[in-house]
Amino acid sequence: MSASLPGKRDLPASKYNLDTYWGRVRQSAEIADPRTLLVSAAGLENAKNLVSLYKQGHVQSMTPELWRAKKIVDSTLHPDTGQPVFLPFRMSCFVISNLIVTAGMLTPGLKTTGTLLWQITNQSLNVAINTANANKSTPLSTSAMVRSYFLAVSASCSVALGLNALVPRLRRFSPATKTVLTRLVPFAAVASAGALNVFLMRGEEIRRGINVFPSLNPSQKRQVEEEGKEVESLGKSKKAATIAVAETALSRVLNATPIMVLPPLILVRLQRTEWLKRRPRLVLPVNLGLILTTSIFALPLALGAFPQRQTILARKLEREIAEQVGADTMVEFNRGI
């Protein structure tokens, strides 16, 4: 993100009001815009240079070109490291990366082997995305990452296989209801394991804490820019890390809910129509279309649920931080995505 580039002057956080949910949704839609994936290495460098010129005071005001440069930088670079996030694991590639995996999990009539393979693939992708976009002030060791990965895979496979075995035994439900419940099994597996995956892959943040910074008002920001100083961390907070990881896990569930619920329910209804009965080969493309359409709208709605740059009263964090800046002082931290 732009905050990771050199320069003492901060860019405006967004064209939109990030204090409101719809403002964050519109900002998230920009970060998740797949068109930024088409930007070349030269285009990225040009965007970084434009942003750096503004941060160093050589450009005085935001222009349409500078807003586009910020969009490219924000959707490509990690806010803590300043390095490009590996393309398949960027939020701008989230819909594309998840399309085939989601379609595989929602394929009607999956057997045990298929269920296992798609759940393993999905959790592998989740691990990669969570690791690539996590707060980097507290990195996760390789051994902890491997252990967390296997726990998440075990959880998702256990939920999926357990529910697949349970649903046929529900005698009180009609065959049609059982069909609907079977189609919703992947949602239960993805939602539970997805949230667990975030806690496991970012557990080191909760154990060691993440960097917390003072929340500066506009006049304080101008003073810092004029003096050419860096805003220094107030220390690491485990409570801030817990909030960051919990909100990220909840946003993953919010994102998975419409994607894993609406397409299978709509497909069940469509498969009962004569039109689709006469065209069974269209089941797969229809399924892909439903998942793609739902994903495009669901991702920014889920990402916008919580601010990425979270502000909180110091008294709600560790006593050391509250004593350092004052209990009623606002501080901030990077939640991660």
Side-chain angles (χ1 to χ4, degrees):
M1 284 194 167
S2 55
S4 61
L5 295 178
K8 310 301 182 184
R9 183 185 178 201
D10 287 335
L11 274 78
S14 174
K15 290 186 287 186
Y16 313 110
N17 182 4
L18 299 184
D19 291 331
T20 67
Y21 172 65
W22 287 112
R24 293 194 298 271
V25 168
R26 296 178 73 182
Q27 173 66 11
S28 299
E30 293 218 337
I31 294 175
D33 187 348
R35 292 175 296 181
T36 59
L37 300 172
L38 303 176
V39 176
S40 64
L44 175 60
E45 286 302 316
N46 182 56
K48 289 167 63 178
N49 289 336
L50 280 174
V51 169
S52 295
L53 286 173
Y54 180 92
K55 294 187 70 175
Q56 292 165 3
H58 300 300
V59 177
Q60 297 306 314
S61 60
M62 296 297 292
T63 63
E65 186 180 15
L66 190 51
W67 279 118
R68 172 166 168 71
K70 182 181 184 301
K71 174 180 176 178
I72 293 170
V73 167
D74 285 352
S75 64
T76 305
L77 303 185
H78 193 282
D80 293 331
T81 66
Q83 298 299 313
V85 176
F86 187 45
L87 190 146
F89 308 144
R90 297 175 194 170
M91 284 298 112
S92 52
C93 197
F94 188 92
V95 171
I96 300 171
S97 298
N98 277 270
L99 179 60
I100 302 300
V101 176
T102 305
M105 290 188 293
L106 294 179
T107 300
L110 270 184
K111 303 300 181 183
T112 300
T113 302
T115 299
L116 287 173
L117 288 176
W118 283 116
Q119 288 296 332
I120 291 171
T121 302
N122 181 58
Q123 290 309 315
S124 299
L125 181 60
N126 282 345
V127 165
I129 292 173
N130 290 337
T131 303
N133 293 281
N135 184 302
K136 298 299 183 183
S137 64
T138 308
L140 188 67
S141 66
T142 303
S143 60
M145 188 184 302
V146 172
R147 182 172 63 252
S148 299
Y149 167 71
F150 282 110
L151 285 171
V153 168
S154 299
S156 65
C157 291
S158 299
V159 171
L161 294 179
L163 291 178
N164 275 335
L166 175 64
V167 170
R169 299 178 183 177
L170 299 175
R171 298 178 180 178
R172 296 183 179 181
F173 296 102
S174 65
T177 302
K178 288 182 181 180
T179 299
V180 171
L181 291 175
T182 300
R183 298 287 180 91
L184 294 179
V185 165
F187 163 68
V190 167
S192 57
L196 176 63
N197 195 313
V198 173
F199 278 98
L200 291 173
M201 297 307 299
R202 297 180 61 179
E204 199 67 17
E205 296 176 30
I206 296 176
R207 287 187 287 272
R208 295 170 55 188
I210 59 175
N211 285 331
V212 175
F213 300 88
S215 181
L216 306 180
N217 59 39
S219 62
Q220 290 173 323
K221 288 181 180 179
R222 283 195 299 271
Q223 183 179 351
V224 169
E225 291 168 5
E226 291 169 359
E227 295 176 356
K229 294 181 179 178
E230 291 282 352
V231 180
E232 296 184 1
S233 169
L234 298 171
K236 294 199 173 190
S237 168
K238 296 179 181 179
K239 292 183 178 180
T242 302
I243 294 170
V245 175
E247 289 183 349
T248 302
L250 181 54
S251 72
R252 289 287 192 273
V253 175
L254 293 175
N255 182 57
T257 301
I259 297 172
M260 303 299 292
V261 171
L262 294 180
L265 293 182
I266 294 172
L267 189 62
V268 167
R269 296 294 299 270
L270 291 176
Q271 285 181 305
R272 295 173 184 168
T273 64
E274 290 299 323
W275 181 81
L276 201 55
K277 285 180 180 179
R278 292 196 301 267
R279 300 171 178 84
R281 292 182 180 179
L282 291 181
V283 170
L284 179 57
V286 167
N287 197 19
L288 286 172
L290 290 170
I291 294 168
L292 177 61
T293 303
T294 309
S295 300
I296 289 172
F297 290 100
L299 181 59
L301 291 172
L303 291 179
F306 307 102
Q308 183 175 357
R309 197 73 183 177
Q310 189 81 283
T311 305
I312 190 172
L313 284 169
R315 67 166 176 257
K316 295 184 178 180
L317 302 180
E318 283 77 1
R319 184 177 63 183
E320 295 81 3
I321 293 177
E323 291 176 348
Q324 187 176 347
V325 297
D328 294 323
T329 302
M330 301 299 290
V331 295
E332 62 182 37
F333 55 89
N334 173 33
R335 176 176 64 84
I337 298 180

